[in-house]
Amino acid sequence: MARRRQRLAQRRQAMGLTQEGLAEHLGVDRSTVVRWEAGSASPQPWMRPRLAETLGVSVTEIVELLQRETGPSPGRPALHEPTRSGTAQVDLTSVAELRREYDELAASYDQAPSASLLAKGGEQLSLITLMARKGPRGRAERELLALRADVLTLMGQLVWDASQRRDHATARGFYDESVVVARRLRDHTLEGRALLRTCYVELYGAQDPRSGLDLALQAANTARTTSPAVTGLALLHAGEAHAMLGEASDCEKALARAQQQLEQTDGMDAAADLVSSTQFGRLAGSCYLSLGQHRRAQKFLETTATELQDRRKSRTIVLGNLTLAYIRQGEIDGAVATLSEAITELERTRGGGGLNVVFGAARELRPWRNERIVADVHDRLFALMTTA
C-alpha cells in the first residue's frame, strides 16, 4: 500500500491552503486532494503543472514529492540503497532499460490515442527525475538528463494532443523544462527539438504565425552546428509560418533551405530518426494550401498520403489538408472520399491535430450538406465527436 505523502500536505499547509482551498484552486473535489495526500491516487500528468503553480514549486519538485514517498512501481528499475556518501548507485544498464521503455512509448504516439499514453509517460518522468536527482556525476547522470529532456518533450506532445491542441500552457511548460535541461547539458540538438515543439504550439494552437516563425528560426539556429535534421525541420515550419503570413517568396526560400539541410542528415545526427521521406511533401503541401495554390498543394499531399502509412496521426493531418485542397477546387467527390479516409484514421488514434483539420474541412463542406454523400460523412464525424 502506498504511504501517505506527508511532504505534499506540508507544502499545501505552508502555502496557507486547506484541502478544500487547494481543491477549489484546481477545480477538483476535496476528496481528490485527500486521495493524493493519502497516496491512494496521483494527479494526472496534465494536472501537475497547475498543482505546482498553486503550491509555488516547479513541476519537477511536484514529481519528486509524489514519487519519493510512494516508491517506484513494480517491475521498474529501482535505485540501489545509498552509499555512505549518500549517493545512490545508478548504472548505465538501468539507464539503458529506461531509454528502451521511452523508445517504446514514443513509438506508440502515432498509433494510439495520446490520452492512453499519458499515465505511462508521467510514471517514466517521475522515476527518471528521481534517479537523476539521486544519481552520481558522470556519464550515467548525463544519459539520465538527456533522457529526461526527451521525456519532458514527449509529455508536452502527449498533453497537447490529448487536449485536442487546446492546453497550450501545460505543453509549453514541459517544453520549457526540456530546454532548461538541454542547456544544462549544452546539447543544442535537444534544445532545438524542444524549441521546435514550442513553435508547433504557436503555429497550430495559438494560431500566431509570427511567434511561430521566430521560434522556428531560433530552433534552426540553435541546432545549426549539430543537427541538419532539426535544422531542416525547423526551416520547413518557418516556411509554413511564412505561408500563413502570405509571404510566398520567403516561404519558397525557407523550403529550399530546409531541403538542403534534410539531404545532409546522416546516421551521425542524433535526431536522424525524426526525418522521413514524407516530411517535405507534407509541409510543402500545407504551405501551398495556405498560399492558395491548391492544385500544387494537392499534388504534394496526394503523394504524401500514399507514402505515409505508418504514422497515422500525421497521415490524418495530410488527408485533412488534401480534403481542403479538393474542396477549394470544387472537387467534392474527391473531398468526401478523402475526408472519410481521414475519419477512419481518427477513429483509431483520436489525434488532436487531425481532429482540428478534419473538423475545419467538414465546415467548408457545409454548402453541399444536402447532398447524400456529404450528409453521410457529416454523420460519421458527428458519431466520432460524441465518442472523442
Side-chain angles (χ1 to χ4, degrees), residues 315-366:
R315 187 168 187 266
T316 303
I317 294 173
V318 170
L319 290 169
N321 281 333
L322 181 55
T323 301
L324 289 168
Y326 283 137
I327 293 171
R328 292 169 188 177
Q329 295 175 87
E331 299 179 16
I332 303 308
D333 287 347
V336 169
T338 305
L339 185 60
S340 181
E341 193 175 353
I343 293 171
T344 298
E345 296 284 16
L346 282 174
E347 288 168 346
R348 301 170 183 168
T349 66
R350 297 296 197 273
L355 281 167
N356 291 341
V357 175
V358 165
F359 283 135
R363 284 193 293 272
E364 291 200 21
L365 273 174
R366 282 177 182 168

Side-chain angles (χ1 to χ4, degrees), residues 252-269:
E252 293 282 6
K253 291 175 184 176
L255 291 178
R257 290 172 59 205
Q259 194 164 31
Q260 290 173 356
Q261 288 291 326
L262 294 174
E263 287 172 353
Q264 295 175 31
T265 303
D266 58 24
M268 296 299 101
D269 191 328

Side-chain angles (χ1 to χ4, degrees), residues 172-304:
R172 287 191 193 105
F174 281 117
Y175 298 149
D176 288 348
E177 280 206 60
S178 184
V179 167
V180 169
V181 176
R183 287 175 179 168
R184 179 181 172 188
L185 290 168
R186 302 180 183 86
D187 189 322
H188 299 306
T189 300
L190 279 175
E191 182 182 349
R193 288 181 67 171
L195 289 170
L196 185 55
R197 280 286 165 191
T198 311
C199 159
Y200 297 170
V201 175
E202 297 304 311
L203 281 181
Y204 311 123
Q207 297 292 313
D208 185 347
R210 186 60 65 190
S211 293
L213 176 60
D214 290 344
L215 281 161
L217 294 176
Q218 185 182 349
N221 188 57
T222 298
R224 178 175 51 84
T225 59
T226 60
S227 176
V230 173
T231 305
L233 292 174
L235 289 171
L236 281 178
H237 289 280
E240 184 160 25
H242 282 303
M244 293 166 78
L245 291 164
E247 299 167 352
S249 177
D250 289 330
C251 172
E252 293 282 6
K253 291 175 184 176
L255 291 178
R257 290 172 59 205
Q259 194 164 31
Q260 290 173 356
Q261 288 291 326
L262 294 174
E263 287 172 353
Q264 295 175 31
T265 303
D266 58 24
M268 296 299 101
D269 191 328
D273 61 304
L274 297 181
V275 176
S276 71
S277 60
T278 61
Q279 227 114 31
F280 185 85
R282 202 168 87 216
L283 269 295
S286 182
C287 286
Y288 294 128
L289 187 65
S290 293
L291 291 169
Q293 299 179 28
H294 302 134
R295 180 64 64 184
R296 197 172 180 186
Q298 178 188 333
K299 290 179 180 178
F300 276 105
L301 294 168
E302 283 177 339
T303 301
T304 303

Side-chain angles (χ1 to χ4, degrees), residues 69-98:
E69 296 177 282
T70 57
S73 301
R76 287 285 194 164
L79 288 170
H80 297 297
E81 289 298 317
T83 63
R84 290 183 181 178
S85 65
T87 302
Q89 299 173 10
V90 180
D91 57 35
L92 289 170
T93 302
S94 297
V95 179
E97 175 62 19
L98 287 168

